[in-house]
Structures are given as C-alpha cells and as structure tokens.
Amino acid sequence: MPQVKIIAKNFMDMVASLPAIKLDLLYRNQFICEAILRSLPPLAKKYVLQMLYIDIPITSKSLQEWLLADGSSKHKVAIDRLIQLRVFEVIDRKKETTYKLNSTFQTNLRKHMISGGILPREPMPQSVTARLPTSEELDAYAHEQWECFLLQLTSSGQAEKSTSFSDSMMRIFQRGLLRQRDKEAPRLTESGFQFLLMDTNAQLWYIIREYISNSEEQGVDQADLIAFLLELSFHTPGEAYSLDTLTDDQTTMIKDLADLGLVKLQKGRKESWFIPTKLATNLSVSLTDSSSRKQGFVVVETNFRMYAYSSSKLHCEILRLFARVEYQLPNLIVGAITKESLYNAFENGITAEQIVTFLQQNAHPRVAEKLPSVPENVTDQIRLWETDLNRVEMTPAHFYDEFPSRDVFEAASDFARMHNGLLWEDAKKMRMVVKAEIHMLMREHLRGQNK
C-alpha cells in the first residue's frame, strides 16, 4: 500500500531550511526574532535569554552546568534546534566546542526586549472603517472560505458560490493534489485523497508550505514571504489594517491569503483594508497545539452504521471517500462503512490508519468521551480489510534451471543466499528463483563457475 506522502512541516522547519544568508536577513526584523524565540523548546529559550547579554562564546560544559540532573536529552534537542535556526553559531576549538548567539539575532532581540517593537502598520481608526465584523463573524468567514477552498478538491460544482481563486493557489492544487489529462476533468491524486483526511491545522500548513515553496516562480523571495507571514501573526485579529501600507508583493500575498480565509478584505469609500482572522495570527503556533481543534461530528456504531451531525457539503464529500453515504438530511448525514467503500478508498491511496484517525479525531462529543471513541470491532475490521489487499507481494525475479551439476547449483544457491537474494529453490530438480537486483551478480558468478 502507498504510504503517506504529505508531511505538513512546522513553520519553523521551513525557516530553518533557508540558506544562512537569508536567515541573517530575516533576523534583521525584531518581530521575527520574537517569533523564533516563542517557537523554541523551553530549555532553548532559557539558553537564549541567559546568553542575550553575553558577547563572548560559552563552552558546552558551561551550558550543561545550567541543566538539572535529568535534562541531558532536552539539552540535545535544544542545541540541535538552535543550530538549525542559526540562532547558535558553533565555534569548534581543539579542546572544547563553544557556542555564541548569532550577532544579528542577538542585537535585534535586545532592541525588541527593551523597546517592545513597533509594527510597520497600525490599526485604522473606527471613524474610517465604520463597523467591522465581530469575532464570531470572522470565524464563520474563515470557515466558509476554507470549506469552499477544499470543495475545489472534491467537486468544484459543489461550491455554493462561484469561486475566483488566484492562479497561484490553483497551481498548488494542480501540482500535488489534482491531476488533469487532456480533455478530462481534474481528478484527485493519492496525495489529494490523503490531504482531505488531515485535520485543518495540517491542511493549512501543507498549503502554506507549498505556497512558500512555489513563491520564487512568482518573483517573490521566500525569505520575504516568510517574514511577512510571521509579521502577520503579530497583528490583532479583528482589527483593520490599510492595504496602502503593503508593498506590491505583499498586496498579492494578502489576496492569496484571503482565498484561504486567513484575512478578510474590505473596501470603504476611499480606502481598502484587510482584517486578520485567528488563522493568520496563529501561523507561528506549533502543529501540536490542539487549542484550535474543531468539535467532532461523527458517530460510528458497532454495526458499521455511521451518523454525521453536520450540514456541511464538504463533510459529506469527505465521508464519501471511504463510506457509503445513503442519505443526507438538513443537519444529518447517514451512511455505512462497507468492504466495497473501503476497497475503493484503499485503491485511491488512503490507508486504514488515516481512516481510523479521521474517525477518532472527528468523533462527536457524546462518544469522544468514551474509550474507544470508535468501536474496536470497526477499527479492527478496517485494518483487516486493508491487509486483504496486501496478501500478495510482487517482487521482480529471475528463474534459473538446467544447472550442469549439483555442485554448481549448490554454489549458486549459497551465493544468492549470501547476497540475501534467494526467493525459492527446489534442490531435487535443481531450480531456483532469485531477486532481479542480484541477477547481474549471479550471471558473473555462474560464468566464473563454467570456466
């Protein structure tokens, strides 16, 4: 079976993957330095803050003196992270390794700690913006935009309103999640099916990561884009910020982010502005943060019947990926998990573990409190039906027979076994099957035996 191909990386992993020169440029922004500090493991934060006003290198032994007795594993994680982000510069000496804070990072974090920092834009006065959407209205808008975005993957015709997603966003779909042949409608790839079963946080990170990776094709520097996204996380959700304060590249980014529901665009009589939603201000939060998990809606019974308390067309389309939807009421989707529906899911690249995880993460609150939230006989059967498809494993191989003598056959058998390539042998009739990868070695060996 195909394995999960999509890995939604943490934002700071993307930052760490930048070249050293671009990282140093990022650290000229005080807010990015604070965002980096916030993202660090607790022990790494302690090292940074204790070394903030130390201008000389600190030896590895001195750092370990700040540890508790059981902190060695945490120390290694902290040091590795600081080196990855180039917050620590390693100075190798003959006797002992020493560490020093990145001078650009150190200088700008000091300034930020003292002055607090000033964003390049301030919220617009209410006299200009008049009534702004409430927190609940913004959350509803973000949810609607994200659902509309995902419906493009399942069936664009299901969207309740006409969509006008930017070309850059649609290219992200076309590259990894959709495929389209000549004169055919776009179809989901294996990665696309897997993507739909991810939780919202993981989906968002995948799209943002791909957007950043493809930004240079649009003439936008990756470091500038990451800097703007991190800066955006320091804006206040629900406040209005003028579009006139943005560069041309940033204006393009904001319009793309509006497609995802990260910001809401509004226009007044004379000015236009954007309003960050909670999705935008949480961009620098780790994927493991579960505070934004949405309430579940699925109930699975021991007889494989499934009830989803939702009015969302997107939820209905996602459930169709692995279950048979029988009918849909205004606020209830009724279906069943069948062998046929699961086989269809497996053939599309979805794994049993992804299905089980989706059902567990989206369990209705009434059953989420129980352990297990999905009946064990259902989860076990889903896994068993997957193993049904894995009973036969195809291995490229070559068949050998008509050996001139038993000595040559036994020597060839030992040679194949030594190279871990013997799949089957019949000693009585002097026949064997070996892996294709050692075929050329076997040929050379047999030629040597015939000489």
Side-chain angles (χ1 to χ4, degrees):
M1 290 295 297
Q3 299 300 312
V4 179
K5 294 181 180 178
I6 295 178
I7 302 173
K9 294 168 67 178
N10 182 283
F11 208 128
M12 294 308 162
D13 291 332
M14 290 188 284
V15 174
S17 68
L18 290 173
I21 296 175
K22 291 187 177 181
L23 264 179
D24 288 338
L25 289 174
L26 277 182
Y27 291 155
R28 293 179 183 178
N29 185 311
Q30 296 178 22
F31 286 96
I32 290 174
C33 293
E34 183 184 346
I36 296 293
L37 181 66
R38 287 181 179 184
S39 75
L40 294 173
L43 188 58
K45 288 180 186 175
K46 172 186 171 70
Y47 290 158
V48 171
L49 293 175
Q50 287 195 220
M51 294 175 64
L52 192 58
Y53 288 91
I54 299 176
D55 294 322
I56 59 172
I58 300 294
T59 64
S60 178
K61 184 177 180 181
S62 298
L63 281 180
Q64 291 177 6
E65 289 176 356
W66 298 344
L67 288 174
L68 296 175
D70 59 347
S72 57
S73 60
K74 294 179 181 179
H75 170 76
K76 187 178 186 308
V77 171
I79 294 296
D80 287 346
R81 194 60 173 161
L82 290 168
I83 293 173
Q84 286 171 1
L85 289 165
R86 277 187 54 80
V87 173
F88 265 12
E89 294 176 351
V90 183
I91 304 172
D92 289 317
R93 294 183 174 174
K94 292 181 179 179
K95 291 185 178 180
E96 190 172 9
T97 300
T98 60
Y99 303 103
K100 186 179 184 300
L101 278 182
N102 181 304
S103 57
T104 307
F105 179 89
Q106 184 179 31
T107 301
N108 286 292
L109 186 59
R110 281 180 186 175
K111 290 178 182 177
H112 189 71
M113 298 284 279
I114 295 170
S115 63
I118 300 174
L119 281 169
R121 61 194 66 85
E122 291 294 327
M124 298 174 68
Q126 287 190 352
S127 59
V128 177
T129 59
R131 181 187 177 280
L132 294 175
T134 63
S135 176
E136 291 75 17
E137 290 171 338
L138 267 185
D139 289 344
Y141 161 81
H143 177 76
E144 181 186 2
Q145 284 294 106
W146 188 249
E147 183 165 306
C148 193
F149 189 65
L150 293 181
L151 275 171
Q152 301 302 302
L153 282 179
T154 56
S155 173
S156 57
Q158 295 287 336
E160 292 182 4
K161 61 180 183 178
S162 60
T163 58
S164 56
F165 293 120
S166 66
D167 291 340
S168 54
M169 282 298 167
M170 293 313 298
R171 269 195 293 273
I172 291 174
F173 275 156
Q174 293 290 349
R175 283 193 173 186
L177 307 179
L178 289 175
R179 64 170 176 264
Q180 184 174 15
R181 295 177 180 174
D182 294 340
K183 299 179 181 180
E184 289 185 7
R187 295 186 60 188
L188 282 170
T189 62
E190 289 182 3
S191 295
F193 282 109
Q194 295 169 7
F195 174 82
L196 286 172
L197 292 189
M198 289 178 175
D199 67 32
T200 303
N201 268 355
Q203 289 173 335
L204 175 63
W205 277 111
Y206 173 78
I207 294 296
I208 291 295
R209 186 193 69 178
E210 291 299 304
Y211 183 66
I212 291 172
S213 300
N214 299 327
S215 62
E216 291 190 348
E217 292 183 7
Q218 312 300 317
V220 179
D221 188 86
Q222 285 190 11
D224 293 340
L225 178 52
I226 289 175
F228 179 65
L229 289 170
L230 286 176
E231 193 178 276
L232 195 61
S233 68
F234 286 91
H235 289 59
T236 306
E239 293 284 356
Y241 298 87
S242 174
L243 288 176
D244 293 337
T245 61
L246 304 177
T247 65
D248 291 342
D249 287 341
Q250 289 173 343
T251 302
T252 303
M253 294 177 211
I254 279 291
K255 290 177 181 176
D256 290 338
L257 296 179
D259 289 343
L260 299 176
L262 272 70
V263 298
K264 182 178 177 66
L265 299 178
Q266 286 189 335
K267 192 172 184 179
R269 291 182 179 178
K270 295 182 179 180
E271 295 190 62
S272 299
W273 55 85
F274 67 92
I275 306 167
T277 66
K278 290 179 181 177
L279 285 177
T281 54
N282 287 338
L283 274 176
S284 59
V285 177
S286 170
L287 277 172
T288 56
D289 181 16
S290 59
S291 60
S292 60
R293 302 282 188 204
K294 56 185 180 295
Q295 183 171 290
F297 59 96
V298 180
V299 176
V300 180
E301 295 185 335
T302 54
N303 60 359
F304 293 82
R305 298 287 291 173
M306 183 180 65
Y307 302 91
Y309 294 86
S310 172
S311 58
S312 166
K313 290 185 177 180
L314 176 64
H315 287 162
C316 185
E317 292 302 313
I318 291 175
L319 293 174
R320 286 186 198 276
L321 296 177
F322 60 86
R324 184 185 69 218
V325 175
E326 296 174 352
Y327 52 89
Q328 185 174 7
L329 301 177
N331 64 342
L332 178 66
I333 303 165
V334 180
I337 298 173
T338 66
K339 185 176 183 178
E340 292 73 22
S341 64
L342 286 173
Y343 274 17
N344 186 54
F346 298 148
E347 288 173 3
N348 284 323
I350 300 174
T351 66
E353 284 307 316
Q354 288 173 324
I355 294 170
V356 170
T357 301
F358 175 84
L359 294 173
Q360 291 171 340
Q361 289 180 345
N362 292 278
H364 191 279
R366 289 289 181 90
V367 295
E369 298 172 356
K370 301 177 183 178
L371 287 176
S373 56
V374 181
E376 285 186 339
N377 71 304
V378 175
T379 57
D380 289 346
Q381 188 61 60
I382 291 173
R383 295 184 177 104
L384 284 172
W385 277 331
E386 183 184 43
T387 59
D388 283 348
L389 300 178
N390 297 332
R391 289 179 177 178
V392 177
E393 183 179 345
M394 303 295 289
T395 303
H398 288 268
F399 176 72
Y400 291 82
D401 65 351
E402 298 182 0
F403 286 89
S405 68
R406 181 161 296 280
D407 289 341
V408 173
F409 168 77
E410 290 178 353
S413 176
D414 291 341
F415 181 83
R417 192 177 288 107
M418 181 177 67
H419 286 82
N420 198 29
L422 182 65
L423 295 174
W424 172 84
E425 69 173 339
D426 181 351
K428 186 175 181 180
K429 296 183 179 180
M430 293 195 296
R431 299 180 300 181
M432 72 174 67
V433 176
V434 302
K435 293 179 181 178
E437 61 198 54
I438 69 161
H439 175 57
M440 297 306 295
L441 290 175
M442 281 290 290
R443 286 180 59 184
E444 293 299 321
H445 170 76
L446 290 173
R447 283 174 182 171
Q449 291 289 311
N450 291 332
K451 289 179 181 179

